[in-house]
Amino acid sequence: MFKKDLKKRLFPFAVVSSIAVGGLIGALSTPTVEAQNNHRKVKNVIFMIPDGFSASYATNYRWYKGRESLLDSILVGMHRTYSANKEVTDSAAAGTAMATGVKTNNGMISTSPEGKELKTILEAAEEEGKASGLVATLTITHATPAAFASHVAARANETDIAPQLLKNGVDVILGGGKKYFPDSLLNKAKGKGYQYVSDREQLAAAKKTDKLIGLFAEKGLAPELDRDTTNQPSLAEMSEKALEVLNKDKDGFFLMIEGSQIDRAGHAHDAAWAMKDTEAFEAALAKVLEFAKKDKNTLVVVAGDHDTGGMSVGGYGKYDANVELLRNVAATGNFMAGKLNAGRSNVKEVVKQYANIDLTDEEAKRIKAVKKPDIAINEVISERALVGWTTSQHTGTDVPLYAFGPCSNLFSGLHNNTDLPQLMAQAMKIHFSPSK
């Protein structure tokens, strides 16, 4: 019965507040200003999605950081993530719900279970004359960004998604996925006025343009832990450039920014990767909140699309957590596994060098014996940090919802993920009517 009942059920509760970080939200601290902001028409919407992020990630990140995060200061509610055909969603169905206001089946991109194309909030904003942008740290054709500006029956069709992003006129496209943009497609984009950049320096130098494509890796970008081995921009740098370009449009803009790597870390049980990419996401959020505070007509909404990995805070039979250990980890488990020799006889040396951990003989034996040494390394580190995992896939738990700026009050309480684009449209006062 529950899955058939897709009607919105809201259970308002007191908004959790905390100390503002870095003074970024001090300007909105009084009830009078809050009331004024919550009735103002929103010009710009920035929707930030930390893929795979849940309350457990938020709590562990607070311990990892050693103080409250920017996210803590703008918490307003929670949202439910189930898809049309499963209690546990994938990123395609979750992205579709958050982009179109309609539940679909796992694997489908902004297409209803019956195969009908669904209008997205980005497309609705464009119809009102607003600029649009997509930023991600995996391929820009991956499930979440794809759901905002393309329509395919199967998320794996990334080759079909790439030209749709250009056809739909997305003004800023930044992320990975060069393999899905052949020269013929990029030349067509340049003919439409897009400037193309492919590394960090070129991105920083891109100034006089209102249409920008940046593709910084053949596939996904590197995890934040490993980014220093590349010439790729950070999520904060891509977000800042996207804001610079989109803000030129006098009618405003809609921008989706995804911290894609948090999800990848959860699948790999790599707690250090998860925390470091959450830190990178927070750095991007700081740029966004700085912009929104100055602009005063920008609504910022932050929501993970689902939980990944079933992370716990504490575990392994102990009433304790040791998350601060993760601050000393300097590489992902995948990177460390790539440094192992053929017989893995150097496993203790590698883990000591990159994780500052002295493996026991038993731990070293575990890593040597398994098919996937990267996962084994990650799980040993997680055990040391007392960060538990229940699955290598997603879970169906509710996910925190954050908002800042005018109309942020609309997001208070328990929502369904399908409510989010409708509330954004309401804030912008644009026509958007989700339908199957």
Side-chain angles (χ1 to χ4, degrees):
M1 291 296 292
F2 175 73
K3 285 196 286 185
K4 294 180 180 179
D5 178 15
L6 300 182
K7 292 184 178 180
K8 178 173 61 178
R9 300 175 187 170
L10 303 181
F11 300 96
F13 56 85
V15 177
V16 177
S17 62
S18 61
I19 299 171
V21 180
L24 286 172
I25 42 187
L28 298 181
S29 60
T30 67
T32 301
V33 176
E34 287 284 2
Q36 290 172 350
N37 282 338
N38 286 330
H39 288 88
R40 184 187 300 157
K41 179 181 178 180
V42 169
K43 181 180 179 182
N44 312 310
V45 169
I46 304 171
F47 190 10
M48 300 187 70
I49 302 175
D51 197 314
F53 186 87
S54 65
S56 294
Y57 285 76
T59 306
N60 272 324
Y61 180 66
R62 192 182 304 118
W63 288 114
Y64 172 85
K65 184 177 181 180
R67 61 185 186 276
E68 292 189 346
S69 73
L70 280 177
L71 286 169
D72 290 334
S73 65
I74 58 172
L75 177 66
V76 296
M78 301 283 287
H79 74 98
R80 302 188 308 220
T81 65
Y82 63 92
S83 67
N85 66 330
K86 297 288 183 180
E87 289 87 347
V88 180
T89 190
D90 78 334
S91 288
T96 296
M98 298 165 87
T100 71
V102 177
K103 296 277 188 183
T104 195
N105 295 337
N106 285 359
M108 303 182 79
I109 299 288
S110 291
T111 305
S112 73
E114 298 75 29
K116 178 183 176 182
E117 291 188 3
L118 302 168
K119 180 180 288 189
T120 75
I121 185 64
L122 180 147
E123 292 167 340
E126 287 180 335
E127 288 178 356
E128 296 291 328
K130 295 182 183 293
S132 63
L134 297 171
V135 176
T137 52
L138 284 179
T139 61
I140 200 64
T141 49
H142 206 253
T144 303
F148 285 84
S150 69
H151 310 269
V152 294
R155 60 181 291 178
N157 297 336
E158 293 187 65
T159 301
D160 296 331
I161 290 167
Q164 289 191 45
L165 303 185
L166 297 176
K167 182 180 179 181
N168 278 342
V170 181
D171 298 287
V172 174
I173 299 170
L174 301 176
K178 172 66 171 65
K179 66 176 292 186
Y180 300 112
F181 289 80
D183 289 343
S184 58
L185 185 58
L186 287 176
N187 288 335
K188 186 179 294 185
K190 292 173 185 176
K192 292 183 176 181
Y194 284 90
Q195 182 177 345
Y196 171 64
V197 297
S198 59
D199 61 36
R200 186 183 183 192
E201 286 74 23
Q202 290 178 4
L203 178 69
K207 299 291 184 184
K208 298 179 180 179
T209 185
D210 56 6
K211 288 184 176 292
L212 181 65
I213 295 180
L215 302 171
F216 308 105
E218 284 296 304
K219 297 181 180 179
L221 274 63
E224 188 66 18
L225 274 172
D226 303 338
R227 191 170 58 81
D228 59 353
T229 64
T230 74
N231 193 23
Q232 298 169 0
S234 67
L235 184 62
E237 290 168 333
M238 291 191 291
S239 300
E240 191 170 28
K241 181 59 67 174
L243 291 171
E244 177 188 316
V245 174
L246 294 175
N247 197 40
K248 296 175 182 178
D249 194 309
K250 62 180 178 59
D251 297 310
F253 60 82
F254 178 91
L255 171 62
M256 193 289 299
I257 300 170
E258 183 191 32
S260 324
Q261 300 283 343
I262 300 169
D263 171 71
R264 284 292 177 90
H267 283 297
H269 291 181
D270 194 326
W273 178 2
M275 294 299 99
K276 193 65 175 179
D277 263 278
T278 299
E279 182 178 70
F281 184 86
E282 184 183 39
L285 175 61
K287 295 292 185 184
V288 166
L289 290 179
E290 181 180 12
F291 173 89
K293 180 183 175 183
K294 291 178 180 178
D295 180 74
K296 297 185 176 10
N297 292 303
T298 297
L299 169 66
V300 180
V301 179
V302 183
D305 51 351
H306 51 71
D307 169 73
T308 301
M311 174 192 278
S312 72
V313 182
Y316 308 99
K318 295 183 179 180
Y319 286 93
D320 201 1
N322 190 26
V323 184
E324 60 271 16
L325 172 148
L326 301 175
R327 300 174 198 156
N328 297 320
V329 179
T332 61
N334 184 62
F335 184 93
M336 285 185 259
K339 296 295 182 180
L340 298 176
N341 59 30
R344 302 180 188 172
S345 61
N346 63 335
V347 62
K348 285 190 176 184
E349 291 79 8
V350 168
V351 174
K352 176 64 175 179
Q353 178 180 352
Y354 292 104
N356 197 31
I357 288 175
D358 293 308
L359 294 177
T360 66
D361 290 341
E362 181 59 32
E363 289 170 334
K365 184 178 178 180
R366 281 170 56 189
I367 296 169
K368 290 178 182 179
V370 297
K371 183 178 180 180
K372 295 183 177 181
D374 57 327
I375 303 295
I377 291 170
N378 294 339
E379 291 181 345
V380 166
I381 294 172
S382 290
E383 287 175 18
R384 294 291 194 98
L386 298 179
V387 174
W389 303 94
T390 63
T391 178
S392 61
Q393 302 303 321
H394 300 171
T395 77
T397 187
D398 294 347
V399 172
L401 177 60
Y402 309 86
F404 171 83
C407 296
S408 56
N409 66 309
L410 296 175
F411 298 85
S412 175
L414 176 61
H415 291 272
N416 214 316
N417 54 6
T418 50
D419 298 336
L420 305 186
Q422 299 178 65
L423 294 173
M424 293 174 195
Q426 182 179 337
M428 289 186 285
K429 293 182 170 55
I430 65 173
H431 178 71
F432 181 66
S433 180
S435 65
K436 295 181 182 180

